Amino acid sequence: MFFKLLVHTCTQRRKHQIGRILNKYFHIDNNELAYNISVSHLKHFFKQRCLSVVEGYTCIIANCPICNNVTKGAKLYVNKKTGFFMCDHCKFTGSWNVLEKFLSIEKSSERLEELNVLRNNLQCEKNFNKAWEDIEKSGQSIQDLSLKEYATILKKFSLPCVSQQDMHQLKCVYKGTSSTLYFPLMGLNNSVVGYKLLKIDSEEHETIPASGVSGCITYKQLQSKSDNAAVIVGMIQDLLALVSQNSVNTVICLPYNLKTLPQELLPYLEPYKKLILWFGNDESSWHTARQFAKKLNEKRCFFVRPTDLQPRPKLAANLGYDLKSILQNAQPVLHKSITTFQELREEVLIDLQNIDKVQGIKWKRYPALNRILKGHRRGEFTVLTGPTGCGKTTLMSEYSLDLAMQGVNTLWGSFEIRNSRLARTMLQQMIGLPLDENLEKFDTYADAFEKLPIYFMTFHGQQSIKVVMDAVEHATYVHDIAHVIIDNIQFMMGTSNESKHMDRFWIQDDIVAKFRNFATKHNCHVTAIIHPRKERDEEELTTSSIFGSAKASQEADNVLIIQDRRLSSIRGKKFLQVAKNRYSGDLGIMTLEFDKPSLSYSSKMKTKSEGAEKNKSSTKVRQKSK
């Protein structure tokens, strides 16, 4: 009895420790509120406080009321979608509610207290200036290298042949001890807000800081006058390729390649009237270009359509293509309401040339799904249903984890299960081992999980569809979300007094329509979990078993059903049925066998655990025989 009590106490301590650390590590921010602020509201608010404003492409621009008494001409940029603000001089940043509160205070003493709160956000900006000074002291400026040393560096890093003067304009620093090139990220007023590292035999760039940087690597021809147009690329090699051919006056390299476009960066890009996005000739780059264009304001955005004759700048330069002529063929993002095949012709060609990539991102843990669904594609709406307790959330957590580990920015809306418990499940699925038995390695596992682009909505229980959609749209804009999971739709029904007098089927149809439109409009994949209408053990579920009217199954591009025959048949099994597949029409099933130690349905994870058990059993047999 004492032993059982001791084990129970240790288990509770482990669970408490895991839960406490989970809240520390993962992307769960209870203070981040979703705002959908109108431009008219922002203008009216500033007008009431006698502040003149100018409406830019992505921001409202005004004289900074925080530091303008000290520094004349300081500009405050307020994001037109989220209300996020940034000053180009004092570098104060924050959410709209902070600025609104600060400007609403009339007493100078209270304003001073609020100003001290704002100063806490300034510390990281100062640190990068000092950090870059240390890098410059420990390394060599490109200008100080001999011509032979400079040529050797270009060859080592496989960089396009650009003049030493052009490379020096980027303020590049070479550190020979680590064979690394450093490029500063320049923000507003030419301040250093971070830097990128480029190492030998690696095209991947490490960016410091890891998120939310407010600057870019920018090249401008010295002899050119102020230019209102710029070409935006994702990688340093592409920027240098454009510079080597003198293709354009201004080239901008994004800080995080195509992973995300931080809203902190938008004020820096505000002066440009024309932006040409040139990212590459694969399907993900094509989707990213359209996604970024929406954030940058589509009216000023053009893109180089991805075809075999128009690859990313570095490849095009290596193939001897004329980069200037390719840029001249850049087309506007915005399309007319009515189009013709002539305008769609290139898009059809792109799909045919990139047939494997058009099919979407492949699952590594579920090869059977790749054969049926072909892949996970943006802009689609998926419905998952199954009996209560069959493991819908557990399956979907691993399903989305697989994609997130391949760089798909994911937003989880779990209204039924606490975020800490969901995060624990996903962490255990990632490592394939019980967490409570491996607490000594928790920090290592958590650090790896924290790098994944997974975000959690902090809702729990019943929520209105308006509040949820505001949060989803905000996260998609700020974090460039590509996959949204809603678990489950029934938690957004019946939350208002009006809805109590309305038909529940009509309410659900309205919710489904909103998510369907969101997926199409924002080019984002939405996966919604919906309970079935009937749960009869003797009958298999079908698309007509989904709760509500037929709208959910009609609107969905994919319908996934978990069938559990274990309780109705001795040899019954649990499997995932693809009951609808709009992309290719292929239907089929995938057997689900649950591995409890790893909380996984993946055959790969089960193979590891089963192999470990076999090794243990064989070791015991040998010891007994001895």
Side-chain angles (χ1 to χ4, degrees):
M1 182 68 183
F2 173 75
F3 177 74
K4 288 183 179 180
L5 180 62
L6 180 63
V7 171
H8 175 73
T9 304
C10 292
T11 303
Q12 292 300 318
R13 284 178 181 173
R14 284 179 175 178
K15 288 181 178 179
H16 175 72
Q17 186 174 1
I18 291 173
R20 179 172 54 82
I21 304 177
L22 280 170
N23 287 325
K24 170 187 173 185
Y25 273 91
F26 303 133
H27 304 274
I28 303 172
D29 188 358
N30 293 317
N31 296 320
E32 183 179 341
L33 301 175
Y35 289 100
N36 191 8
I37 302 171
S38 66
V39 176
S40 59
H41 172 74
L42 292 174
K43 288 182 176 179
H44 180 69
F45 182 83
F46 281 112
K47 186 177 180 181
Q48 284 182 324
R49 280 142 189 86
C50 301
L51 293 171
S52 59
V53 298
V54 176
E55 183 176 353
Y57 294 102
T58 61
C59 301
I60 294 292
I61 307 169
N63 291 330
C64 181
I66 301 172
C67 66
N68 205 42
N69 292 332
V70 180
T71 306
K72 297 297 181 181
K75 297 297 181 182
L76 184 75
Y77 295 82
V78 183
N79 190 288
K80 293 196 289 187
K81 289 280 187 180
T82 64
F84 174 86
F85 71 90
M86 174 188 293
C87 174
D88 66 350
H89 182 266
C90 61
K91 301 298 187 296
F92 285 134
T93 63
S95 57
W96 170 248
N97 62 331
V98 175
L99 180 62
E100 190 174 31
K101 180 181 177 183
F102 176 80
L103 294 178
S104 300
I105 298 173
E106 296 182 359
K107 295 182 179 179
S108 58
S109 58
E110 294 180 3
R111 263 203 182 191
L112 186 60
E113 292 180 5
E114 191 68 21
L115 188 62
N116 291 331
V117 175
L118 290 176
R119 283 202 174 97
N120 294 331
N121 296 328
L122 185 59
Q123 191 62 37
C124 60
E125 299 283 354
K126 292 180 178 178
N127 289 340
F128 284 116
N129 284 318
K130 187 178 184 306
W132 183 250
E133 290 176 3
D134 294 339
I135 291 172
E136 287 182 317
K137 291 178 182 177
S138 60
Q140 290 178 281
S141 172
I142 288 295
Q143 193 177 27
D144 297 334
L145 299 174
S146 66
L147 291 176
K148 186 177 181 180
E149 289 174 329
Y150 178 66
T152 303
I153 289 175
L154 291 181
K155 186 176 180 181
K156 276 184 178 181
F157 287 87
S158 301
L159 297 177
C161 186
V162 297
S163 68
Q164 196 167 353
Q165 183 182 5
D166 287 335
M167 185 71 87
H168 174 65
Q169 192 198 138
L170 300 175
K171 299 183 180 180
C172 177
V173 172
Y174 175 66
K175 190 177 288 188
T177 54
S178 59
S179 297
T180 306
L181 284 174
Y182 292 83
F183 294 84
L185 296 169
M186 308 304 295
L188 297 169
N189 288 339
N190 292 322
S191 58
V192 178
V193 295
Y195 52 89
K196 295 187 85 167
L197 316 175
L198 184 61
K199 296 186 177 181
I200 295 178
D201 300 328
S202 175
E203 284 213 346
E204 291 298 322
H205 311 150
E206 181 183 356
T207 304
I208 308 296
S211 63
V213 74
S214 58
C216 298
I217 301 173
T218 304
Y219 169 84
K220 292 185 179 181
Q221 288 189 7
L222 296 176
Q223 68 274 16
S224 66
K225 297 179 181 179
S226 59
D227 194 357
N228 294 325
V231 177
I232 295 183
V233 297
M235 305 185 76
I236 295 173
Q237 293 90 335
D238 294 331
L239 179 146
L240 296 177
L242 288 164
V243 172
S244 66
Q245 290 195 13
N246 293 322
S247 305
V248 68
N249 292 336
T250 305
V251 190
I252 295 174
C253 178
L254 297 176
Y256 302 111
N257 195 359
L258 307 185
K259 294 179 182 178
T260 183
L261 179 65
Q263 64 172 339
E264 292 88 346
L265 186 60
L266 300 182
Y268 180 81
L269 300 173
E270 195 63 45
Y272 299 100
K273 293 182 179 180
K274 181 180 179 181
L275 297 174
I276 301 176
L277 312 182
W278 191 355
F279 293 153
N281 62 330
D282 57 73
E283 182 66 13
S284 61
S285 300
W286 173 246
H287 285 305
T288 302
R290 288 188 287 182
Q291 192 76 13
F292 284 4
K294 291 178 181 178
K295 188 179 286 190
L296 292 168
N297 192 325
E298 292 175 314
K299 293 180 180 179
R300 61 169 173 166
C301 289
F302 293 71
F303 49 60
V304 175
R305 288 184 178 273
T307 63
D308 289 344
L309 296 177
Q310 297 183 162
R312 48 177 282 220
K314 184 190 176 185
L315 295 178
N318 291 342
L319 293 170
Y321 295 158
D322 185 359
L323 303 189
K324 277 188 178 180
S325 63
I326 293 177
L327 287 171
Q328 288 173 357
N329 293 328
Q331 299 181 9
V333 171
L334 284 180
H335 293 282
K336 298 177 182 179
S337 299
I338 300 174
T339 187
T340 63
F341 178 74
Q342 184 179 3
E343 295 178 352
L344 296 172
R345 180 172 176 169
E346 289 190 19
E347 288 194 37
V348 175
L349 178 62
I350 292 165
D351 289 350
L352 293 174
Q353 289 178 339
N354 301 278
I355 189 66
D356 292 335
K357 295 171 182 176
V358 170
Q359 290 177 347
I361 297 174
K362 310 295 183 184
W363 287 273
K364 293 185 177 180
R365 296 174 178 236
Y366 301 115
L369 276 183
N370 294 329
R371 291 193 296 270
I372 305 170
L373 290 175
K374 309 304 180 187
H376 182 269
R377 295 168 291 276
R378 280 175 171 263
E380 292 191 355
F381 180 54
T382 297
V383 170
L384 173 65
T385 190
T388 302
C390 68
K392 294 187 291 295
T393 303
T394 303
L395 172 65
M396 188 47 57
S397 68
E398 186 176 20
Y399 174 103
S400 61
L401 173 68
D402 188 339
L403 298 169
M405 292 177 72
Q406 299 181 65
V408 177
N409 293 6
T410 303
L411 176 66
W412 252 97
S414 177
F415 303 93
E416 192 171 2
I417 297 174
R418 289 180 294 108
N419 284 328
S420 57
R421 182 179 173 186
L422 175 61
R424 173 182 173 174
T425 299
M426 298 181 80
L427 179 59
Q428 191 158 328
Q429 289 171 336
M430 184 186 77
I431 65 174
L433 297 169
L435 282 175
D436 55 353
E437 296 177 9
N438 296 272
L439 277 179
E440 69 282 356
K441 297 181 180 179
F442 181 83
D443 286 339
T444 303
Y445 299 146
D447 288 341
F449 187 92
E450 193 177 26
K451 294 177 182 178
L452 297 180
I454 302 176
Y455 303 86
F456 301 89
M457 286 188 279
T458 55
F459 301 128
H460 189 73
Q462 295 283 340
Q463 297 293 333
S464 71
I465 180 63
K466 184 181 184 305
V467 173
V468 175
M469 288 306 301
D470 284 346
V472 171
E473 290 180 6
H474 174 83
T476 303
Y477 179 85
V478 174
H479 302 296
D480 302 300
I481 299 299
H483 186 199
V484 176
I485 301 101
I486 301 297
D487 183 17
N488 58 64
I489 277 184
Q490 275 87 344
F491 276 89
M492 283 171 279
M493 299 167 60
T495 58
S496 64
N497 293 328
E498 293 181 2
S499 62
K500 294 178 181 178
H501 305 287
M502 299 168 66
D503 181 70
R504 289 178 63 82
F505 288 177
W506 186 92
I507 297 171
Q508 180 172 316
D509 287 352
D510 180 58
I511 295 171
V512 168
K514 282 182 168 62
F515 279 114
R516 167 72 269 181
N517 293 336
F518 169 82
T520 304
K521 181 180 177 181
H522 295 272
N523 196 32
C524 177
H525 194 115
V526 176
T527 301
I529 298 177
I530 305 178
H531 287 309
R533 181 188 297 125
K534 299 177 181 179
E535 298 182 17
R536 296 179 180 176
D537 294 336
E538 67 275 9
E539 294 182 6
E540 284 193 353
L541 299 176
T542 63
T543 54
S544 60
S545 303
I546 300 173
F547 181 83
S549 67
K551 188 175 182 65
S553 58
Q554 289 172 350
E555 294 279 6
D557 296 290
N558 312 293
V559 176
L560 311 180
I561 304 174
I562 297 180
Q563 306 281 8
D564 195 350
R565 301 270 63 84
R566 294 174 302 170
L567 300 177
S568 59
S569 174
I570 296 176
R571 296 183 179 180
K573 292 186 177 182
K574 182 162 69 170
F575 57 89
L576 180 71
Q577 177 187 3
V578 179
K580 182 180 180 181
N581 180 1
R582 184 170 283 166
Y583 177 77
S584 65
D586 293 344
L587 307 178
I589 62 172
M590 179 183 73
T591 305
L592 297 176
E593 295 181 8
F594 186 63
D595 181 63
K596 194 170 183 179
S598 62
L599 301 179
S600 172
Y601 287 104
S602 167
S603 58
K604 181 180 178 181
M605 301 302 292
K606 292 198 292 291
T607 302
K608 287 184 178 180
S609 60
E610 289 172 0
E613 290 178 2
K614 288 180 181 178
N615 290 335
K616 287 182 181 178
S617 61
S618 61
T619 304
K620 289 181 181 179
V621 171
R622 290 174 185 172
Q623 290 176 348
K624 287 183 180 180
S625 61
K626 288 181 181 179

